[in-house]
Amino acid sequence: MKREDKKTASDAPPDKMKRKDYEAALEKLHAELVKLQLWVVAKQLKVCIVFEGRDTAGKGGTIKAITDRVSPRVFRVVALPAPTERELSQMYMQRYMKHLPAAGEIVIFDRSWYNRAGVERVMGFTPEAKVQRFLRITPLVERAIVESDIILLKYWLEVGEAEQTRRLEARASDGRKLWKLTPMDLKSYGRWYDYSRARDDMFAATDTPHAPWFVARTDDKRRARLNIIRHLLDQIPYEELPRDKVVLPKRQKRGDYVEPDYPYRYVKERY
């Protein structure tokens, strides 16, 4: 895979995408994702997609846009909680490796083993020596993953400072989004450049020919989701499989069936 051309802030589109345009484009991409799903199952492919990025960059929304119209048995999302005491005693990569895809699966990591290079490093949860060891061995681990015939795609979602501030303020004032605002988000907010340095070190160590990072600018969430899905589809060669025309069978006749006089507890129709 070739590396993408570098972009600058001045390249950003001037206007945010309208909802109707977004939904029309997303509908077409959803149809392509279904074709990809059928191809992955038929050809028994193994696909692993890693999503990382700054807080509020839109990882969850992007993953939801990808998985909205496909089977959760094929597109499997992995979002691990904090490690247990037992997991803390294991080799670091161990808790992630068991979630890698089997044949016919697409596994999406909503944050991944790169927690060690990001939040764990910046917030001081991991000694620097372990971080450096992680940066040193991760390209080797990812080579082993790729050489096991797993298609590995890594996406970094980048949001600007002003837009991150706007999104965090929106979470604080919107009852639907309060659950997204965590104490860790608030602690991380003031460490923008610490996270920038951690990201730079991570890219320098792990942006490799066999497992490159792809960066998406997400100040406009709608454009970002579409761009990522289109890029993802371009990375996995697939074809539309032939399908038989669907013909619904005839329903059986009522015969002697009689609707029972049963006091069903219907949900009150308030809308």
Side-chain angles (χ1 to χ4, degrees), residues 108-150:
I108 300 175
F109 280 93
D110 184 356
R111 293 202 181 275
S112 65
W113 48 90
Y114 282 102
N115 272 342
R116 175 136 295 181
V119 63
E120 288 188 16
R121 183 184 195 184
V122 172
M123 303 308 294
F125 298 151
T126 302
E128 184 62 21
K130 288 188 176 182
V131 173
Q132 292 302 321
R133 183 170 62 191
F134 169 83
L135 294 175
R136 190 168 61 252
I137 69 172
T138 295
L140 303 177
V141 174
E142 291 179 348
R143 180 177 290 280
I145 290 172
V146 172
E147 290 183 354
S148 298
D149 297 324
I150 295 176

Side-chain angles (χ1 to χ4, degrees), residues 55 123 178-190:
D55 292 335
M123 303 308 294
L178 281 176
W179 65 274
K180 291 184 175 184
L181 188 61
T182 67
M184 186 59 62
D185 291 333
L186 297 177
K187 291 179 181 178
S188 298
Y189 175 75

Side-chain angles (χ1 to χ4, degrees), residues 21-173:
D21 295 333
Y22 166 70
E23 291 178 349
L26 185 60
E27 182 177 350
K28 294 178 181 178
L29 291 174
H30 277 159
E32 293 301 314
L33 285 169
V34 171
K35 295 176 188 177
L36 173 64
Q37 170 184 287
L38 297 174
W39 182 262
V40 166
V41 172
K43 300 301 179 180
Q44 293 291 277
L45 300 181
K46 297 177 287 186
V47 182
C48 178
I49 306 170
V50 169
F51 280 101
E52 294 288 344
R54 293 187 184 273
D55 292 335
T56 78
K59 294 177 291 296
T62 299
I63 293 170
K64 184 177 185 302
I66 292 171
T67 59
D68 195 36
R69 298 291 181 171
V70 292
S71 170
R73 290 183 293 276
V74 178
F75 281 76
R76 186 160 52 85
V77 178
V78 176
L80 298 183
T84 63
E85 287 297 320
R86 181 175 184 275
E87 288 171 333
L88 286 171
S89 71
Q90 295 174 339
M91 181 179 73
Y92 176 70
M93 288 286 194
Q94 192 170 340
R95 68 191 296 252
Y96 295 99
M97 296 301 102
K98 63 185 179 183
H99 295 285
L100 289 175
E105 290 183 342
I106 299 173
V107 171
I108 300 175
F109 280 93
D110 184 356
R111 293 202 181 275
S112 65
W113 48 90
Y114 282 102
N115 272 342
R116 175 136 295 181
V119 63
E120 288 188 16
R121 183 184 195 184
V122 172
M123 303 308 294
F125 298 151
T126 302
E128 184 62 21
K130 288 188 176 182
V131 173
Q132 292 302 321
R133 183 170 62 191
F134 169 83
L135 294 175
R136 190 168 61 252
I137 69 172
T138 295
L140 303 177
V141 174
E142 291 179 348
R143 180 177 290 280
I145 290 172
V146 172
E147 290 183 354
S148 298
D149 297 324
I150 295 176
I151 299 171
L152 176 61
L153 300 173
K154 303 187 304 189
Y155 290 100
W156 175 270
L157 277 56
E158 185 69 32
V159 66
E161 289 184 80
E163 180 62 15
Q164 185 188 64
T165 298
R166 189 196 68 78
R167 291 177 186 178
L168 286 171
E169 290 175 344
R171 289 180 182 184
S173 61

